[in-house]
């Protein structure tokens, strides 16, 4: 049983990720590359080791993913822009204090903002790109990205909030769209979006408590958290659930010690990294969200992370809060 956080092994594992270009898996995951860099970089920030990645190389890669035809960021050079990779690109630039590459270039700023706003639909929801998939994740992506750019406006925020509130279900969970099944990741995207635009006050105290009960019931006997009832625990929900509880100030409604033990047992003692659950293969996605969960519950003096943005408070302190 692993009962300590293997910080140095995790740093070594994260550093190795971009050196595996000869593997099939590396090239099959092009569609996640920009997201993956954000996950790895954020994990390193939590471990207070941001310098592990080569700053200038990363910034150059991010800017190569900007799609000058559609205005957003794709996950890899010459890929179509998408809301998910656009937010990741902006988060990486903010992390490296290079967001001015967008904000001080009027052409790029206008194109990114128009890409985001252009994906908002008449009902206030957002699609991920021109192909039309609609999901509460994209509402969060849009509001978070515009917040980082300082470009939120009531014309975008008000209908987005109206749509997000419709995603709240009777059981206290949120669905990816109105009427969809409650899911823990959607709880984060909806609560996080409301937090970004200072609209949590639109939820009544009774609704907040119902949401908190649904979230805390995601903890299973092993200590981990699942995404919905009757599912196995998964380390990634250490962020989705815990951040949601932190946003509504109900973090003490779960057993943090048992959760920490579940995350620690999911570490790879040899090569580092964190898996979805003990005994499985590690990946950067579960590594960052496992570390983020540990940060949120105050484990082992990790760098404190902002539950609304999944970035350190040092970084989110640079974001101007809405309304401006």
């Amino acid at each position: 049983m692993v009962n300590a956080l293997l910080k140095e092994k995790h740093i070594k594992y994260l550093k190795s990720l971009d050196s595996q270009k000869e593997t099939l898996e590396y090239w099959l995951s092009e569609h996640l590359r920009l997201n993956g860099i954000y996950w790895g970089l954020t994990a390193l920030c939590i471990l207070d080791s941001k310098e592990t990645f080569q700053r200038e190389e990363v910034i150059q890669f991010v800017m190569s993913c900007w799609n000058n035809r559609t205005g957003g960021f794709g996950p890899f050079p010459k890929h179509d822009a998408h809301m998910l990779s656009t937010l990741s690109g902006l988060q990486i630039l903010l992390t490296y204090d290079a967001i001015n590459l967008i904000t001080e270039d009027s052409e790029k700023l206008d194109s990114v903002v128009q890409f985001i706003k252009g994906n908002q639909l008449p009902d206030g929801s957002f699609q991920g790109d021109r192909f039309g998939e609609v999901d509460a994740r994209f509402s969060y992506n849009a509001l978070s990205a515009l917040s980082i750019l300082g470009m939120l406006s009531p014309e975008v925020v008000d209908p987005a909030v109206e749509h997000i509130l419709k995603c709240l279900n009777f059981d206290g969970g949120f669905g990816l769209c109105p009427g969809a099944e409650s899911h823990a990741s959607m709880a984060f995207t909806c609560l996080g979006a409301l937090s970004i635009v200072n609209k949590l006050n639109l939820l009544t105290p009774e609704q907040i408590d119902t949401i908190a009960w649904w979230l805390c019931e995601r903890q299973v006997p092993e200590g981990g958290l699942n995404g919905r009832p009757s599912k196995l625990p998964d380390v990634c929900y250490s962020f989705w659930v815990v951040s949601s509880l932190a946003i509504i100030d109900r973090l003490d409604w779960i057993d943090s010690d048992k959760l920490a033990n579940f995350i620690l047992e999911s570490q790879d003692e040899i090569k580092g990294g964190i898996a979805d659950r003990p005994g499985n293969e590690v990946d950067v996605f579960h590594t960052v969200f496992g570390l983020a969960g540990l940060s949120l519950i105050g484990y082992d003096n990790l760098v404190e992370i902002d539950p609304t943005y999944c970035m350190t408070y040092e970084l989110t302190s640079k974001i101007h809060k809405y309304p401006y």
Side-chain angles (χ1 to χ4, degrees), residues 42-86:
T42 300
L44 290 170
C45 287
I46 297 170
L47 294 167
D48 198 21
S49 189
K50 183 170 68 173
E51 72 285 351
T52 299
F53 286 171
Q54 297 299 312
R55 178 181 183 273
E56 295 305 321
E57 289 183 14
V58 173
I59 292 173
Q60 182 179 6
F61 178 79
V62 172
M63 295 309 298
S64 73
C65 293
W66 177 63
N67 188 313
N68 61 7
R69 179 174 54 83
T70 59
F73 287 84
F76 199 80
K78 299 182 180 180
H79 281 226
D80 287 340
H82 195 280
M83 296 290 283
L84 292 171
S85 46
T86 295

Side-chain angles (χ1 to χ4, degrees), residues 27-322:
W27 296 107
L28 289 178
S29 60
E30 267 189 11
H31 65 293
L32 292 171
R33 186 73 70 243
L34 205 53
N35 304 102
I37 294 173
Y38 158 70
W39 296 330
L41 181 58
T42 300
L44 290 170
C45 287
I46 297 170
L47 294 167
D48 198 21
S49 189
K50 183 170 68 173
E51 72 285 351
T52 299
F53 286 171
Q54 297 299 312
R55 178 181 183 273
E56 295 305 321
E57 289 183 14
V58 173
I59 292 173
Q60 182 179 6
F61 178 79
V62 172
M63 295 309 298
S64 73
C65 293
W66 177 63
N67 188 313
N68 61 7
R69 179 174 54 83
T70 59
F73 287 84
F76 199 80
K78 299 182 180 180
H79 281 226
D80 287 340
H82 195 280
M83 296 290 283
L84 292 171
S85 46
T86 295
L87 176 58
S88 289
L90 296 175
Q91 289 170 316
I92 295 164
L93 293 177
L94 181 65
T95 301
Y96 279 133
D97 197 25
I99 195 68
N100 63 296
L101 294 175
I102 300 298
T103 58
E104 295 179 7
D105 184 321
S106 59
E107 179 184 352
K108 286 187 173 64
L109 177 61
D110 289 346
S111 68
V112 173
V113 171
Q114 289 309 311
F115 170 76
I116 297 168
K117 289 183 176 181
N119 280 302
Q120 187 168 29
L121 302 178
D123 65 354
S125 65
F126 283 84
Q127 59 187 13
D129 57 19
R130 62 191 176 89
F131 295 105
E133 180 187 9
V134 176
D135 188 320
R137 290 177 301 164
F138 309 142
S139 296
Y140 174 84
N141 293 150
L143 298 181
S144 184
L146 291 173
S147 175
I148 290 171
L149 295 171
M151 296 298 290
L152 285 169
S153 62
E155 66 180 8
V156 172
V157 170
D158 293 346
V161 167
E162 184 177 352
H163 176 79
I164 289 165
L165 292 173
K166 291 177 181 177
C167 295
L168 177 60
N169 291 322
F170 73 93
D171 59 2
F174 288 84
L176 60 83
C177 64
E181 179 185 11
S182 295
H183 198 282
S185 61
M186 296 302 120
F188 164 74
T189 57
C190 292
L191 292 171
L194 293 175
S195 177
I196 287 168
V197 297
N198 291 310
K199 297 293 185 180
L200 286 169
N201 63 304
L202 297 179
L203 297 171
T204 68
E206 291 76 18
Q207 286 176 316
I208 292 288
D209 281 347
T210 303
I211 292 167
W213 274 116
W214 189 88
L215 288 166
C216 73
E217 287 175 349
R218 305 280 59 76
Q219 190 161 36
V220 300
E222 300 98 304
L225 300 156
N226 61 22
R228 49 198 169 125
S230 301
K231 295 294 183 179
L232 293 174
D234 187 317
V235 161
C236 70
Y237 297 111
S238 304
F239 177 74
W240 310 122
V241 173
V242 174
S243 62
S244 299
L245 289 168
I247 288 169
I248 59 175
D249 196 26
R250 299 293 191 278
L251 191 49
D252 59 345
W253 284 30
I254 61 167
D255 189 326
S256 295
D257 290 337
K258 291 187 70 174
L259 174 60
N261 287 336
F262 178 78
I263 298 170
L264 295 176
E265 290 172 8
S266 301
Q267 299 178 108
D268 188 312
E269 296 180 71
I270 298 174
K271 67 179 182 182
I274 302 175
D276 58 347
R277 58 185 62 91
N280 284 357
E281 183 63 27
V282 304
D283 58 69
V284 65
F285 178 86
H286 290 92
T287 299
V288 64
F289 292 123
L291 291 171
L294 292 173
S295 170
L296 287 168
I297 61 177
Y299 182 86
D300 198 24
N301 297 314
L302 291 169
V303 175
E304 192 174 2
I305 199 165
D306 186 329
T308 294
Y309 287 95
C310 196
M311 292 185 288
T312 65
Y313 276 109
E314 177 189 3
L315 296 172
T316 61
S317 66
K318 302 175 183 178
I319 299 174
H320 298 293
K321 306 305 180 186
Y322 180 83

